[in-house]
Amino acid sequence: MQGQSSLIIRAFGYPVSSNSTGKLFTVTTFGESHGPAIGCVIDGCPPGLPISAEEFRTDLDRRATGRSRHTSQRREADEVEILSGVFEGCTTGTPIALLIRNTDQRSKDYSDIAQTFRPGHADYTYWQKYGIRDPRGGGRSSARETTMRVAAAVVAKKWLAERYGVRVRGYLAQLGGVVPAGFDWDAVEENPFFWPHAPQVPELEKYMDALRKSGDSVGARVNVDADGVPPGWGEPIYGKLDGDLAAALMSINAVKGVEIGDGFAAVTQRGSQHRDEMHMDGFTSNHAGGILGGISTGQVVRASIALKPTSSILIPGRSVNLAGEPVEVVTKGRHDPCVGIRATPIAEAMVALVLMDHALRHRGQCGDVGDIKPRIP
Ligand code: EPS
């Protein structure tokens, strides 16, 4: 009996598979980097949201490979086909299925890797877990999968903007040791790095050209801000907004750290410094990153991620092969010397998916609560 009820809870309470995210706005992705296609199913989207295939273009292009010499040179069309859930240009409330066909696979680059493991790559752990893997383009562990997160988030971003005026936007906050010397949101979309200070772009170009020539890779930091989030989103205790953001951001390939607000800087701060004082005309600071007790405060929700340097590099590294012999690995193919350069739209996407899910969850449970006073702007 007990086994049966836990089965029912799994089936009806949560998405069962770990390829799904969200409780009310659920996104399931599928596909491998060198398979025929990648796709996703979005379930729980409210009806009546106008959406067309063309609306996916901007964010998919922002994330895509081959848009500058500083990223992988694989050229994918990334054309979205809407297979279901949209009728006469509007969401119907039924599952939205999106498909993108892969068009530029070059699987021979991966023939050596089929027999060995790239140091620092999920090749090894996929093999240990499943005893079988699709090595072509990294299979399911490839950043190609993030295309569908970005596509799903186009729907979430639009609904959040129309319904609540929420805007989710990110930028590259560090490239290796280089940090922005100034900040201007307008600059972010004007360069291939999503860098917020235009005068530094030539320096970044030089840095990346030298890195690419050296055959090595480097890490990065990406920051995401969501403004317009009303107070109240997030469900203590195990559904905290910051907890769900951390899990969602950590699920992005190569992410090794997530911070909310001041994050790890809080370790050395005093309470008098870290707390965000309140006045009836607003908060005086935002060390908390717009979340207290797992619930949004109404301030900007602020997250930051650390991405590791890409493991697919030209510098030979020691590894082992399937026969248990020591080997030297050099990764061929079209890889990103810094995955962080393309991570801004992906991080935005994960933040948007979590916010959309929590917006629906808040509306479901607390939609009748009404106006709470005082409300600090
Ligand atoms: C990736 C390796 C490269 C990238 C790929 C991510 O794949 P391939 O060797 O097949 O060119 O191009 O990125 C994408 C295709 C994409 O759309 O993001 C990896 O190992 O993660």
Side-chain angles (χ1 to χ4, degrees), residues 11-346:
F12 294 107
Y14 294 93
V16 176
S17 138
S18 296
N19 291 291
S20 302
T21 181
K23 283 190 180 179
L24 293 190
F25 187 81
T26 304
V27 176
T28 304
T29 71
F30 63 87
E32 282 82 28
S33 180
H34 288 206
I38 50 176
C40 72
V41 176
I42 305 166
D43 205 355
C45 183
L49 179 75
I51 202 87
S52 67
E54 295 75 61
E55 287 176 74
F56 294 89
R57 192 70 280 147
T58 305
D59 268 359
L60 289 179
D61 281 353
R62 289 171 77 228
R63 191 216 67 91
T65 50
R67 298 313 197 260
S68 82
R69 67 180 187 274
H70 308 296
T71 64
S72 160
Q73 292 303 296
R74 181 166 160 178
R75 308 263 168 183
E76 284 293 341
D78 283 350
E79 288 294 345
V80 172
E81 293 170 50
I82 303 176
L83 302 184
S84 70
V86 176
F87 181 66
E88 294 182 341
C90 274
T91 59
T92 58
T94 61
I96 302 167
L98 305 177
L99 191 81
I100 293 177
R101 289 174 204 279
N102 291 324
T103 55
D104 187 25
Q105 306 95 316
R106 215 169 66 188
S107 299
K108 68 174 173 9
D109 290 343
Y110 289 85
S111 40
D112 294 347
I113 287 165
Q115 299 305 314
T116 187
F117 308 103
R118 283 167 280 184
H121 197 277
D123 291 338
Y124 177 68
T125 47
Y126 269 61
W127 179 250
Q128 287 295 325
K129 183 171 180 66
Y130 300 108
I132 181 170
R133 75 190 158 107
D134 177 355
R136 304 162 309 156
R140 182 77 180 145
S141 72
S142 169
R144 179 91 189 113
E145 183 272 342
T146 62
T147 317
M148 297 322 302
R149 303 167 184 237
V150 171
V154 168
V155 178
K157 279 180 173 178
K158 186 166 185 188
W159 187 84
L160 285 165
E162 288 198 352
R163 184 71 181 75
Y164 290 99
V166 170
R167 178 174 51 178
V168 183
R169 52 187 178 164
Y171 60 94
L172 189 61
Q174 191 165 341
L175 177 70
V178 188
V179 292
F183 192 89
D184 176 8
W185 274 116
D186 290 340
V188 172
E189 298 298 326
E190 301 296 318
N191 66 79
F193 302 99
F194 300 94
W195 194 257
H197 189 57
Q200 273 175 297
V201 171
E203 181 195 339
L204 299 182
E205 305 260 1
K206 232 169 102 188
Y207 181 97
M208 287 306 300
D209 287 341
L211 181 70
R212 202 169 54 249
K213 264 191 212 123
S214 75
D216 215 340
S217 62
V218 77
R221 177 193 277 269
V222 169
N223 290 354
V224 180
D225 276 7
D227 47 69
V229 176
W233 292 2
E235 291 173 353
I237 292 178
Y238 299 111
K240 287 182 173 183
L241 186 59
D242 39 4
D244 284 355
L245 284 171
L249 289 165
M250 194 60 107
S251 77
I252 299 171
N253 317 51
V255 170
K256 284 298 193 188
V258 179
E259 293 183 321
I260 305 292
D262 284 3
F264 280 86
V267 173
T268 55
Q269 292 172 351
R270 301 290 174 99
S272 53
Q273 219 183 330
H274 182 84
R275 66 184 178 183
D276 301 309
E277 290 188 287
M278 292 172 275
H279 299 280
M280 278 323 297
D281 53 356
F283 289 87
T284 56
S285 53
N286 188 7
H287 298 287
I291 301 172
L292 291 172
I295 302 172
S296 58
T297 59
Q299 292 174 281
V300 176
V301 171
R302 193 155 274 164
S304 184
I305 57 174
L307 296 115
K308 71 175 184 178
T310 327
S311 50
S312 303
I313 56 177
L314 292 169
I315 297 177
R318 283 169 296 174
S319 183
V320 291
N321 64 17
L322 294 183
E325 298 156 342
V327 288
E328 200 165 69
V329 177
V330 174
T331 314
K332 294 182 212 147
R334 306 165 290 183
H335 296 285
D336 295 84
C338 175
V339 278
I341 293 177
R342 293 197 290 127
T344 292
I346 307 166

